[in-house]
Amino acid sequence: MYIAPELDIEPLLHGGTGSQSEALEQPKVRPDRYEAGTPNTVGIAGLNAGVKHVLEMTPAVIYQHEWELTQLMLDGLSSVKGIRMLGPEIGQPRTGLVSFTVDGYDSAQLAFRLDRNYGIAVRSGFHCTPLAHESAGTTATGAVRASVGYNSTREHVEALVKAVLELTGAD
């Protein structure tokens, strides 16, 4: 939408700008003045494309792929000395996430080394679930969380397992 500089049009909606979130009044500066309630058109289009893709692939096919890779990851990581995997055991229903700790290793440091030395991105810490970590007994260490998705491959999982083995001296 274009509004000529000499026109001062009253916005249809007020509030919710990201530039002056603390202000009670709509900003006077453009384009912020007209951003309240602006639909996230790009996000809507992306969501539409994503839903179409999932329906085309089918959720069952996507789940099966992620299931196989998750089982491969669980099996491979189980050979790491001192590892403790959180969540359902191998063969049990679960999503494509595997959280784990390794005795004697700080989860943040392990995640940092996976990223720095191997280019493998994982998440470390409490994953916004402090009560789950309290229940799991990992409040002192947090955990490393690795995940797979539809575009993940066996090679990705095997690279993660090999890197964890090398970093923990189990290789």
Side-chain angles (χ1 to χ4, degrees):
M1 180 169 101
Y2 173 79
I3 301 172
E6 63 275 4
L7 293 177
D8 184 25
I9 298 173
E10 182 66 25
L12 294 173
L13 299 170
H14 292 264
T17 70
S19 64
Q20 296 180 17
S21 296
E22 71 285 353
L24 295 177
E25 300 294 325
Q26 195 69 12
K28 297 294 183 198
V29 65
R30 294 175 184 217
D32 304 42
R33 178 169 173 74
Y34 302 107
E35 288 184 346
T38 302
N40 180 2
T41 307
V42 173
I44 293 167
L47 177 61
N48 182 44
V51 168
K52 285 180 179 177
H53 179 71
V54 167
L55 293 175
E56 183 179 295
M57 298 303 301
T58 76
V61 168
I62 294 169
Y63 178 80
Q64 185 62 36
H65 176 74
E66 292 177 4
W67 165 263
E68 290 171 5
L69 293 180
T70 302
Q71 299 308 300
L72 180 66
M73 187 186 313
L74 289 166
D75 185 53
L77 288 175
S78 68
S79 65
V80 174
K81 184 180 179 190
I83 199 165
R84 177 176 169 226
M85 287 180 274
L86 308 175
E89 302 285 327
I90 294 175
Q92 296 299 310
R94 66 182 304 144
T95 64
L97 299 171
V98 176
S99 295
F100 62 92
T101 62
V102 179
D103 292 342
Y105 292 88
D106 178 79
S107 66
Q109 190 63 30
L110 192 55
F112 176 80
R113 289 184 178 165
L114 285 167
D115 178 49
R116 180 62 57 101
N117 299 354
Y118 299 90
I120 298 173
V122 294
R123 172 102 194 275
S124 67
F126 296 100
H127 316 106
C128 302
T129 60
L131 294 178
H133 283 275
E134 184 178 316
S135 175
T138 56
T139 54
T141 62
V144 174
R145 182 180 70 198
S147 61
V148 296
Y150 185 73
N151 293 315
S152 301
T153 65
R154 291 182 66 85
E155 291 77 21
H156 292 141
V157 172
E158 290 165 353
L160 169 70
V161 170
K162 182 179 181 202
V164 172
L165 284 167
E166 288 177 9
L167 287 172
T168 60
D171 188 32

